[in-house]
């Protein structure tokens, strides 16, 4: 069916395909109809597709209650084209009372891509159930420095882990709606985000800061959000090198690029030429200014055609996505709360457990002291755009009380008076302290009279928490510390005195239950750090949250420590369990492979303890004979393996030679070196945890 309308405001009558006919068509035919539809649209109609639209009252309400309804863009009633309806993530849907999952960093610590896919699917169902069809929850910015305020929104420091987790989110979410991957690119300082210029050489950009975005694009992501900051002098939303050359050119991205909100776009012509397709949340630089720029020839209309084709392509692709079973009954439903609980359980990392203090056996603990303000605080993350308002939050104190059983008395002191807390600890059989960070300390920087969020310059605990830990540990040696926060916390200075330490992150609305289950041994901890926990600042790249310009060098995280030969407090990939695992019999399918070939790496892992558990097996590759400067080793594979006591399993990874390439910035291409490569398999990135070693050659 065709719609006949007045064309381009010039009075002539044109016949263009209807939106319905676009939706009915598939493949090439749909592409053809979209192109035809775009050709028949007026400049105004095209420009209308390319920006959000907020009414004045929506702007006002947004100031008080951000994300109160989906942000809309590109509705065209005459043409029957529906708007994009955008909402935020990534720890759940930012609208109304949705399920609050553990933050991305906690889910990064699960190293569980299957779980992540299920989590993302649940979020997408909740978004659809609340009228959104476009989800901004896939944040894969690389954590260069753990002080980044929004660390909690991403999956850690490693491009491979980020790529796999991000791709899992895209897969899960896109069963129901469009997923938006953000913030492209090099966005990892919060307080200077609107102006900082990240200087980065091409090789570092390609190898360190972009591979995970590419992985999400290859997974079919519908959209990419440009970052606020500049990269090499140009704002990301205007950055033709990032948006046109790399994303849309080299990677063949067929989706749309939208701006980050409010200060994400700065210039009409630069944004349009640079490759931005949609300005959000409202037309400031696009809209009328873009119409004028086209009319005066500053922006070729063909660029509008390309942008609108991308937008309509994705709208059509997802118009009929999903099961149709959406509604209030799916929002924060039991099934999703269970999923939040599963993610919290799997993401908790046991950092230290001297003398097997944990798990506590409820039967043997007559009295349990719980101390620290955070124990009794719903602590689920920052208050920025990713804020989720769940129907309830199980705190750690609540979780412990629920599970302690009738024979264990739980006493609580908030710790504001350390001597009182020490007294409680002294009187108890064991003590649990909950300390760390909240949305006040880190998160998206929110304007307002009191500091909320922003970056952390000091990665230590607050002095009063350190004093509290000192006092209680002197009163009772059976003390375990539960840390909450979205990133690394410096533990030197106090961890020597504390026998057991758990990193619980911001564990979501079911988090307190998961923490209690780990403490009482109903759940065997299996999370592994998705970032390095340093001993101190000297183990980190420089970080100046107010700098106008910053150099992003090639090394950070475990790569930097490997290079410097330094030991962190807790390495990337590290996490203990209540059972023990053993690694043996590494087998490589070939000693030599061609530069376009691949090989399999097999290893056996066994549970040698007395409890069932899940181990995250990690594969790293090193470049001992490279002609260029390369990391000592890099993560190239991982797998979460459930193991009963005494059980062994063989784990298989496939390594493609092309995944080992480096970027030759002089030649402007990826190079697979014909040389020797080392393979390491084991339990973390620390050499002592990588007992299986082998090597092969690319010829
Ligand atoms: C944040 C984005 C978010 C957007 C929309 C921005 O301030 O940087 O992550 O998706 O707002 O809420």
């Amino acid at each position: 069916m065709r719609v006949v309308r007045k064309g381009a405001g010039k009075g002539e009558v044109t016949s263009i395909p209807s939106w319905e006919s676009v939706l009915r068509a598939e493949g090439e035919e749909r592409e053809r109809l979209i192109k035809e539809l775009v050709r028949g649209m007026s400049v105004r109609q095209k420009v209308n597709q390319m920006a959000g639209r907020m009414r004045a009252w929506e702007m006002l309400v947004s100031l008080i209650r951000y994300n109160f309804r989906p942000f809309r863009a590109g509705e065209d009633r005459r043409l029957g084209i529906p708007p994009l309806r955008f909402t935020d993530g990534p720890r759940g849907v930012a609208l109304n009372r949705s399920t609050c999952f553990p933050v991305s960093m906690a889910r990064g610590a699960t190293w569980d891509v299957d779980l992540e896919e299920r989590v993302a699917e649940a979020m997408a169902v909740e978004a659809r159930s609340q009228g959104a069809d476009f989800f901004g929850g896939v944040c894969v910015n690389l954590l260069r420095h753990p002080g980044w305020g929004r660390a909690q929104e991403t999956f850690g420091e490693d491009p491979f882990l980020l790529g796999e987790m991000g791709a899992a989110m895209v897969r899960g979410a896109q069963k129901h709606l469009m997923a938006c991957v953000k913030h492209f690119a090099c966005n990892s300082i919060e307080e200077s985000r609107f102006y900082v210029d990240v200087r980065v050489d091409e090789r570092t950009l390609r190898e360190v800061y972009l591979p995970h975005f590419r992985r999400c694009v290859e997974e079919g992501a519908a959209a990419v959000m440009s970052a606020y900051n500049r990269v090499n002098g140009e704002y990301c939303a205007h950055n033709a090198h990032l948006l046109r050359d790399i994303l849309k050119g080299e990677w063949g991205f067929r989706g749309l690029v939208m701006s980050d909100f409010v200060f994400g776009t700065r210039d009409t012509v630069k944004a349009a030429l640079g490759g931005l397709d949609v300005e959000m949340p409202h037309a400031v630089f696009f809209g009328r200014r873009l119409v004028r720029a086209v009319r005066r020839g500053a922006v070729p209309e063909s660029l509008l055609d390309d942008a609108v084709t991308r937008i309509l392509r994705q709208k059509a692709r997802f118009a009929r996505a999903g099961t149709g079973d959406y509604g209030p009954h799916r929002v924060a439903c039991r099934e999703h709360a269970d999923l939040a609980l599963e993610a919290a359980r799997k993401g908790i990392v046991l950092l230290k457990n001297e003398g097997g203090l944990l798990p506590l056996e409820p039967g043997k603990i007559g009295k349990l002291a719980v101390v620290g303000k955070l124990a009794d605080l719903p602590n689920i993350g920052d208050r920025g755009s990713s804020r989720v308002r769940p129907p309830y939050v199980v705190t750690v104190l609540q979780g412990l009380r629920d599970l302690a059983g009738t024979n264990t008395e739980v006493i609580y002191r908030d710790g504001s008076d350390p001597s009182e807390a020490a007294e409680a600890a002294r009187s108890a059989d064991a003590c649990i302290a909950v300390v760390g960070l909240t949305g006040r300390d880190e998160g998206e920087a929110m304007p307002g009279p009191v500091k909320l969020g922003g970056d952390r310059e000091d990665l230590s605990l607050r002095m009063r928490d350190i004093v509290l830990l000192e006092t209680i540990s002197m009163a009772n040696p059976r003390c375990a510390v539960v840390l909450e926060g979205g990133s690394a916390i410096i533990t030197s200075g106090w961890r020597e005195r504390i026998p057991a330490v758990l990193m619980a992150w911001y564990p979501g609305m079911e988090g307190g239950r998961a923490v209690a289950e780990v403490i009482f041994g109903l759940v065997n901890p299996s999370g592994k750090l998705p970032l390095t926990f340093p001993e101190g600042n000297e183990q980190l790249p420089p970080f100046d949250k107010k700098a106008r310009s910053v150099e992003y060098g090639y090394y950070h995280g475990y790569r930097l420590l490997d290079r410097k030969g330094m030991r962190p407090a807790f390495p990337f990939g590290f996490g203990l369990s209540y059972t023990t695992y053993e690694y043996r019999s590494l087998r490589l399918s070939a000693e030599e492979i061609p530069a376009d070939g691949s090989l399999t790496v097999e290893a056996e892992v066994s549970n040698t303890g007395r409890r069932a558990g899940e181990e995250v097996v990690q594969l790293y590759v090193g470049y001992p004979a490279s002609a260029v400067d390369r990391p000592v080793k890099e993560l190239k594979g991982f797998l979460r393996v459930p193991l009963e006591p005494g059980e062994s399993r063989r784990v298989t990874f496939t390594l493609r030679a092309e995944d080992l390439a480096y970027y030759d910035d002089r030649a402007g291409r990826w190079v697979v070196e014909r040389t020797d490569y080392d393979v390491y398999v084991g339990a973390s990135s620390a050499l002592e945890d990588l007992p299986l070693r082998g090597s092969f050659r690319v010829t």
Side-chain angles (χ1 to χ4, degrees):
M1 195 193 73
R2 290 174 165 254
V3 166
V4 177
R5 68 165 189 83
K6 299 255 179 216
K10 289 174 201 149
E12 85 270 24
V13 173
T14 353
S15 149
I16 59 171
S18 69
W19 183 241
E20 266 308 310
S21 68
V22 169
L23 297 188
R24 272 198 309 276
E26 278 170 24
E28 296 282 295
E29 176 60 5
R30 178 182 281 174
E31 274 292 302
R32 195 186 62 73
L33 288 177
I34 291 177
K35 295 231 158 77
E36 214 180 301
L37 172 56
V38 172
R39 212 175 310 123
M41 288 166 78
S42 67
V43 169
R44 274 179 197 289
Q45 284 172 324
K46 291 176 192 173
V47 165
N48 173 56
Q49 286 299 313
M50 296 175 63
R53 174 170 294 176
M54 287 182 87
R55 299 194 186 91
W57 72 266
E58 289 174 310
M59 289 185 191
L60 283 175
V61 178
S62 264
L63 292 176
I64 306 158
R65 171 69 167 79
Y66 194 69
N67 261 320
F68 77 104
R69 54 143 58 182
F71 295 94
R72 296 156 76 93
E75 177 166 25
D76 192 322
R77 296 220 172 119
R78 254 183 94 192
L79 294 177
I81 302 173
L84 296 166
R85 301 178 188 91
F86 177 91
T87 192
D88 273 308
R91 61 178 190 255
V93 176
L95 303 161
N96 300 322
R97 293 160 78 76
S98 309
T99 305
C100 182
F101 291 89
V103 293
S104 301
M105 191 62 82
R107 306 199 311 273
T110 70
W111 299 57
D112 190 335
V113 289
D114 161 67
L115 171 63
E116 188 56 23
E117 191 175 327
R118 288 183 286 129
V119 165
E121 189 175 354
M123 291 179 189
V125 165
E126 295 198 14
R128 284 292 300 268
S129 296
Q130 298 176 77
D133 58 10
F134 190 15
F135 183 53
V138 190
C139 175
V140 292
N141 288 112
L142 178 130
L143 187 69
R144 172 171 171 74
H145 187 288
W148 181 35
R150 295 181 74 176
Q152 60 191 274
E153 289 186 56
T154 191
F155 298 106
E157 73 176 38
D158 182 81
F160 185 80
L161 179 60
L162 279 162
E164 293 307 307
M165 296 302 281
M169 256 199 125
V170 169
R171 271 197 306 280
Q174 292 202 158
K175 289 176 188 164
H176 301 273
L177 43 55
M178 285 170 255
C180 177
V181 182
K182 66 192 189 184
H183 311 79
F184 192 67
C186 299
N187 178 340
S188 42
I189 309 173
E190 179 58 8
E191 289 178 40
S192 59
R193 64 177 168 167
F194 295 127
Y195 56 83
V196 67
D197 182 19
V198 176
R199 316 295 306 188
V200 55
D201 66 55
E202 200 61 22
R203 182 175 169 213
T204 304
L205 185 67
R206 305 298 189 120
E207 289 183 35
V208 183
Y209 290 93
L210 297 189
H212 31 289
F213 283 100
R214 182 180 194 161
R215 179 73 184 82
C216 294
V217 164
E218 284 168 358
E219 201 62 49
V224 165
M225 183 190 286
S226 54
Y228 283 125
N229 51 282
R230 307 173 212 228
V231 169
N232 293 329
E234 195 58 85
Y235 283 113
C236 288
H238 310 168
N239 202 311
H241 183 53
L242 285 175
L243 303 182
R244 290 207 186 276
D245 302 348
I246 299 178
L247 176 66
K248 295 179 177 178
E250 282 173 38
W251 300 353
F253 176 60
R254 288 165 59 79
L256 61 99
V257 176
M258 68 184 264
S259 72
D260 203 339
F261 285 37
V262 188
F263 294 119
T265 314
R266 307 295 184 113
D267 185 278
T268 305
V269 175
K270 282 185 180 171
L273 300 185
L276 183 72
D277 302 311
V278 180
E279 180 189 19
M280 288 296 269
H282 193 73
V284 177
F285 292 97
F286 281 6
R288 263 185 239 143
R289 289 187 191 178
L290 183 54
V291 173
R292 286 202 293 271
V294 173
R295 299 236 157 101
R296 69 170 191 272
V299 172
E301 194 171 340
S302 61
L303 294 189
L304 266 51
D305 293 349
D306 176 61
V308 178
T309 301
R310 289 168 177 278
I311 297 163
L312 297 186
R313 183 188 288 141
Q314 298 305 329
K315 283 185 178 175
R317 177 179 164 206
F318 287 91
R320 294 185 178 152
T323 56
D325 180 20
Y326 307 116
H329 65 290
R330 311 256 3 229
V331 181
C333 59
R334 190 65 256 158
E335 189 193 336
H336 295 172
D338 287 346
L339 203 52
L341 178 59
E342 180 183 346
R345 286 172 177 155
K346 290 182 171 172
I348 293 170
V349 184
L350 179 61
L351 292 174
K352 183 176 176 189
N353 196 18
E354 245 171 45
L357 173 65
L358 294 178
L360 303 178
E361 280 183 53
K364 292 195 181 153
I365 308 281
K367 196 180 203 183
L368 179 67
V370 180
V371 305
K373 280 203 173 67
L374 298 193
D376 196 24
L377 189 85
N379 197 19
I380 51 176
D382 83 340
R383 308 252 182 110
S385 59
S386 72
R387 179 175 187 180
V388 173
R389 299 171 163 83
Y392 64 87
V393 177
V394 181
T395 64
V396 174
L397 181 61
Q398 186 62 47
L400 289 168
R401 282 195 170 132
D402 290 349
L403 287 188
T406 43
N407 297 330
T408 308
E409 183 194 352
V410 177
I411 52 169
Y412 173 63
R413 300 287 180 271
D414 71 6
S416 44
D417 178 349
S419 57
E420 200 187 86
E423 199 36 55
R426 192 171 300 116
S427 73
D429 299 302
C431 177
I432 307 289
V434 187
V435 293
L437 313 167
T438 70
R440 273 188 194 286
D441 307 301
E442 59 176 348
E444 193 166 353
M446 300 312 283
V450 277
K451 181 186 180 292
L452 256 192
D455 302 304
R456 278 185 307 149
E457 257 158 336
D458 184 356
L459 304 182
S460 315
L461 288 177
R462 278 191 202 82
M463 201 27 116
R464 65 159 197 264
D465 283 340
I466 297 176
V467 171
L468 177 68
L469 296 185
E470 240 164 54
T471 338
I472 57 161
S473 63
M474 281 191 303
N476 188 338
R478 288 169 58 76
C479 272
V481 169
V482 175
L483 294 173
E484 291 186 339
S487 184
I489 291 174
I490 288 180
T491 53
S492 25
W494 57 263
R495 75 166 186 273
E496 301 73 19
R497 267 176 254 135
I498 303 283
V501 183
L502 281 174
M503 182 68 199
W505 317 103
Y506 298 116
M509 70 189 221
E510 287 283 344
R513 205 183 313 279
V515 170
E517 288 173 341
V518 168
I519 287 175
F520 288 130
L522 304 177
V523 165
N524 189 354
S526 56
K528 303 262 188 167
L529 292 180
L531 77 171
T532 306
F533 272 38
E535 282 292 2
N537 283 330
E538 68 292 348
Q539 298 192 332
L540 297 168
F543 187 70
D544 173 358
K545 63 184 189 177
K546 300 285 184 205
R548 301 208 72 81
S549 167
V550 27
E551 194 80 39
Y552 275 17
Y554 188 67
Y555 288 101
H556 75 284
Y558 69 87
R559 291 164 172 80
L560 178 66
L561 293 187
D562 277 355
R563 168 67 58 221
K564 288 187 167 176
M566 284 178 161
R567 287 174 74 91
F570 300 105
F572 172 81
F574 175 81
L576 299 169
S577 161
Y578 296 152
T579 189
T580 46
Y581 301 104
E582 234 173 70
Y583 285 82
R584 73 176 93 79
S585 29
L586 181 74
R587 214 181 299 144
L588 273 53
S589 65
E591 278 170 23
E592 284 188 0
I593 55 167
D596 58 357
S598 65
L599 84 164
T600 57
V601 177
E602 270 183 53
E604 195 177 301
V605 55
S606 319
N607 182 343
T608 49
R610 285 200 299 269
R611 278 170 174 270
E614 297 199 1
E615 169 70 327
V616 178
V617 179
Q618 298 161 45
L619 164 73
Y620 294 83
V621 173
Y623 315 91
S626 174
V628 294
D629 178 30
R630 299 199 69 174
V632 174
K633 58 179 153 45
E634 290 181 296
L635 183 72
K636 291 291 176 188
F638 61 87
L639 198 69
R640 183 176 253 274
V641 191
L643 289 164
E644 291 299 319
E647 189 184 353
S648 299
R649 286 200 189 197
R650 287 204 74 73
V651 174
T652 308
F653 300 100
T654 302
L655 267 181
R656 295 184 309 177
E658 72 179 86
D659 294 334
L660 310 175
Y662 75 91
Y663 191 79
D664 179 343
D665 43 7
R666 258 187 258 147
R669 62 187 177 91
W670 291 90
V671 177
V672 179
E673 277 187 289
R674 290 157 208 274
T675 181
D676 294 333
Y677 294 84
D678 286 342
V679 169
Y680 308 79
V681 175
S684 95
S685 66
L687 278 180
E688 66 265 26
D689 290 335
L690 292 167
L692 304 184
R693 316 256 171 108
S695 61
F696 66 94
R697 201 175 164 74
V698 174
T699 55

